[in-house]
Amino acid sequence: MLPPERLPASGHGRRGPASGSGQAGRRGQPGFPAPPGCGKGPDGRRIAGGILQIDDNRREQRVLAWSIGITTILAAIGIACGLFANSSSILFDGLYSLIDAAMTALALGVSVLLSRGSSRHFQFGFWHLEPMLVLLNSVVLALSCGYAFLGALNDLFRAGRGTDFGPGLLYVVGAGLAEFSLWLAMRRQARRLGSDLIALDARAWLISGLLSIGLGLSFGLGLALHGTEWAGLIPYLDPAILAVMALLLLPVPLAACWRAGKDILEIAPSDLDERVRAIAQGIAERHGFHDFTSYVAKTGRARFVDITFLAGPELGSRPLGYFDGIRGEIAAALEARPPSHWLNIEFTSERRWL
C-alpha cells in the first residue's frame, strides 16, 4: 500500500500527548490512501483526486456565474413588467429574482474561497461559510415571502388592485418556461458536482417557476372573468394569488434554514454516524481491538470523522504500515476524498485516550 496523504488536522478529535506503548500513528493527522498513479504536483496539490476537486469547483463557479446573469435579466424584465401591468405579484416575482441574484453572487464568492482550500487564518478551510450562506439566503427569502403576504393582505383590504392581465400573462408564461428549464439544469449540475450552493440556486429557480404557475393561473382567470357577472372579483385576484403563493412557498426557505442550522451547530448526521460506527465495528472485530470511539460532523459539503481504537497487549508491536493500512480501509469504505473529507484515525493502548 502506498503511503497515505498527510492533511492538516481537522480539530474534531480530543487532543493530548501520545501515551503508552500501544499508541501508534500520528495523532491528528488524517490519512487517505493514495490511488495508483496519484501523486503531488509542484504546488503540493494532489494531481489525481485533487485536480478533480479543483475542476468541480471551477465548473461550480461557471454555473453560478451563468445563473447570476440570467437571473438578473429576468429580474429586470419582471420588475418592468410588474410596474407596467400594475401587478404586485409580478413585481414581487421580479424582486424575488433580484434578491436571488444577489445571494447567488455571494454563493459564487464562497465557491471561490472553497476552491482555495485552507489559509493561515482559516486552517480548516472555508467550509463553514457554505451553510452560513444557505442560512442567510433562506432567511432573506423567508422574509420576502412574509412581506409579500402582508402586502397582499393590505391590497385585499383596500378593495384590490386594478391589473392589466394581458401583458402579465405573456410575461409569466415566458418566465415560467425559462425558470423550470433552469431548475432542471441546475438540479442536474448540483447532483453531478455534489454542490450545496448550486442545489440552493436550483431550489430558488423551482420557487420562481411555481410562482409563475400561480401567476399564470390567476391572470388567465382574470382575463376569463372580464365581461361576466364575476368581473367584480377581478381586482382581488392579483393580491389573493400573491398571498396564497407566499404562504405556499414559505416552507421551502424555512426547511433550508433548518438544514443549514444543523450544519452550523455541527449536529451529527445520523446516516454518517451509523455508517462510521458500522465500519469501525468491523475494523475492531477483524483486527482484535477491544473498543473504539467515533465522532462525526458535517459542515456544508465537508465531512469530519474521528475514530480512536483501543488496542490490547496481545496486538504486540506492529509497523506503522499496519496502522496506515487500517486507515486506508476506512478511507476506502467511506469513499473519502480530500479536501472535503477530514479523517483522524487514532490508536491507543490506554482507555483514558478514548
Side-chain angles (χ1 to χ4, degrees):
M1 175 172 292
L2 296 176
E5 291 293 332
R6 297 182 62 182
L7 297 176
S10 70
H12 283 261
R14 288 87 46 230
R15 292 291 171 261
S19 175
S21 60
Q23 184 77 26
R26 298 171 298 278
R27 174 172 285 272
Q29 296 291 340
F32 293 89
C38 176
K40 288 188 175 181
D43 60 352
R45 290 179 175 174
R46 186 187 291 274
I47 61 175
I51 283 183
L52 181 61
Q53 186 81 27
I54 293 170
D55 288 343
D56 285 351
N57 285 334
R58 289 174 178 169
R59 292 192 190 99
E60 178 184 67
Q61 293 162 22
R62 287 196 297 268
V63 170
L64 291 174
W66 180 64
S67 178
I68 291 170
I70 297 178
T71 305
T72 303
I73 293 173
L74 287 178
I77 295 174
I79 292 173
C81 187
L83 293 173
F84 178 77
N86 193 33
S87 170
S88 59
S89 53
I90 292 182
L91 191 60
F92 169 69
D93 186 52
L95 291 173
Y96 190 96
S97 297
L98 191 60
I99 293 172
D100 180 58
M103 293 296 102
T104 305
L106 289 177
L108 179 58
V110 170
S111 178
V112 172
L113 289 175
L114 290 178
S115 67
R116 294 180 180 177
S118 59
S119 71
R120 178 66 181 84
H121 297 291
F122 295 91
Q123 298 186 8
F124 301 117
F126 297 91
W127 307 106
H128 60 288
L129 295 180
E130 193 170 17
M132 291 172 63
L133 176 62
V134 172
L135 181 63
L136 173 63
N137 191 335
S138 302
V139 168
V140 170
L141 294 181
L143 290 176
S144 299
C145 289
Y147 178 79
F149 176 73
L150 294 177
L153 290 183
N154 183 56
D155 285 343
L156 287 172
F157 292 144
R158 294 173 58 189
R161 172 185 288 265
T163 302
D164 188 352
F165 291 108
L169 184 59
L170 292 177
Y171 164 76
V172 296
V173 169
L177 291 174
E179 287 157 355
F180 276 109
S181 299
L182 287 164
W183 167 60
L184 292 173
M186 290 294 177
R187 186 179 64 168
R188 183 170 60 250
Q189 290 294 331
R191 291 177 176 177
R192 177 185 175 188
L193 301 177
S195 169
D196 285 347
L197 298 178
I198 297 180
L200 176 67
D201 194 55
R203 285 194 294 270
W205 283 115
L206 175 61
I207 292 174
S208 297
L210 293 174
L211 272 174
S212 295
I213 288 179
L215 294 175
L217 292 175
S218 66
F219 288 3
L221 181 60
L223 291 175
L225 291 179
H226 271 295
T228 69
E229 58 180 318
W230 304 100
L233 297 177
I234 292 177
Y236 297 96
L237 283 177
D238 184 60
I241 195 64
L242 175 59
V244 172
M245 293 302 296
L247 286 180
L248 291 178
L249 293 175
L250 186 58
V252 177
L254 290 181
C257 282
W258 170 249
R259 290 191 296 269
K262 290 197 298 183
D263 277 8
I264 292 173
L265 295 175
E266 294 191 354
I267 297 176
S270 57
D271 54 343
L272 179 61
D273 184 43
E274 292 172 1
R275 185 180 181 189
V276 168
R277 287 178 179 274
I279 293 172
Q281 183 64 44
I283 292 289
E285 292 174 355
R286 286 196 301 274
H287 294 273
F289 294 114
H290 291 186
D291 200 0
F292 70 89
T293 56
S294 65
Y295 299 86
V296 301
K298 173 180 176 292
T299 302
R301 72 193 75 178
R303 306 293 186 270
F304 299 88
V305 176
D306 185 294
I307 305 174
T308 302
F309 291 100
L310 177 64
E314 68 277 4
L315 188 65
S317 178
R318 300 294 180 108
L320 287 178
Y322 173 80
F323 298 100
D324 287 340
I326 295 176
R327 290 189 177 93
E329 286 185 54
I330 296 172
L334 288 173
E335 299 177 349
R337 187 184 72 184
S340 60
H341 286 77
W342 294 68
L343 295 180
N344 279 345
I345 311 300
E346 303 155 353
F347 307 90
T348 182
S349 63
E350 297 188 25
R351 184 170 291 276
R352 62 177 176 142
W353 295 119
L354 286 181

